[in-house]
Amino acid sequence: QPVTPTQPTTPQRPAAPVSQAVIGGATFKLSSPSTATYVKAPNKKSVVVPATVVINGQKVKVTEIASNAFKNNKKLTSVIIGKNVKKIGNKAFFGCKKLKKVTVKSKVLKSVGKAAFKKAGNKGLTMKVPAKKKKVYTKLMKKGNFRGKIK
């Protein structure tokens, strides 16, 4: 009987950990082993920035919305910002003209970038924030050019 030569097997290397992941159309980037940044939003009517996501099999907190993440999103009408978000980047919601409703679940928000809400929404734009943080968040949102009503 003829003997067929066998192919030499190369050992399989484990997949390298990714630093970026697309989950539900949204792009997230690891900023540290335990935190992630919301980098790019899907072009949808309503978007939720989650409190946590699973990247590389590890549950990480979403602590930041990157600069330009929602910039010029033509469809966006409402957004919910998760409870772990500490920072909203420059021009994050710039030019989202149809934006009407923003809900902030985070009680740890520390900074809102310049022009984060510039040219966003119209006269009917409202933002719902945790009651105990209303005064602090009102100041932060003014720095980000938020021109709507804060409840």
Side-chain angles (χ1 to χ4, degrees):
Q1 285 187 346
V3 179
T4 55
T6 57
Q7 293 271 335
T9 56
T10 53
Q12 292 289 328
R13 281 189 249 149
V18 294
S19 63
Q20 221 169 321
V22 177
I23 301 166
T27 307
F28 297 88
K29 183 179 180 185
L30 283 175
S31 14
S32 80
S34 61
T35 63
T37 301
Y38 191 95
V39 180
K40 182 101 175 90
N43 199 12
K44 292 183 177 177
K45 275 188 165 189
S46 67
V47 175
V48 176
V49 177
T52 59
V53 290
V54 176
I55 301 175
N56 295 329
Q58 191 124 6
K59 194 173 185 180
V60 294
K61 289 181 179 182
V62 179
T63 58
E64 192 175 330
I65 297 174
S67 298
N68 304 319
F70 292 86
K71 188 175 179 179
N72 295 324
N73 189 320
K74 304 284 185 239
K75 293 181 182 177
L76 189 68
T77 57
S78 71
V79 65
I80 297 172
I81 298 172
K83 67 179 185 175
N84 295 321
V85 175
K86 295 179 183 177
K87 181 183 176 189
I88 297 174
N90 296 335
K91 296 186 177 183
F93 295 93
F94 183 89
C96 295
K97 290 184 166 92
K98 291 185 179 179
L99 188 62
K100 288 185 179 2
K101 186 177 168 190
V102 179
T103 305
V104 180
K105 291 189 173 184
S106 174
K107 293 180 183 175
V108 293
L109 190 63
K110 299 279 185 248
S111 71
V112 176
K114 284 184 182 176
F117 290 93
K118 192 170 187 175
K119 296 184 182 180
N122 49 23
K123 292 178 182 177
L125 181 59
T126 59
M127 181 178 287
K128 197 173 175 183
V129 298
K132 291 180 180 179
K133 294 287 185 176
K134 186 179 177 186
K135 194 174 182 179
V136 176
Y137 285 8
T138 301
K139 277 185 181 178
L140 280 177
M141 294 306 164
K142 281 200 167 126
K143 287 179 185 177
N145 278 71
F146 185 81
R147 299 280 176 247
K149 222 180 227 184
I150 298 178
K151 297 179 186 177

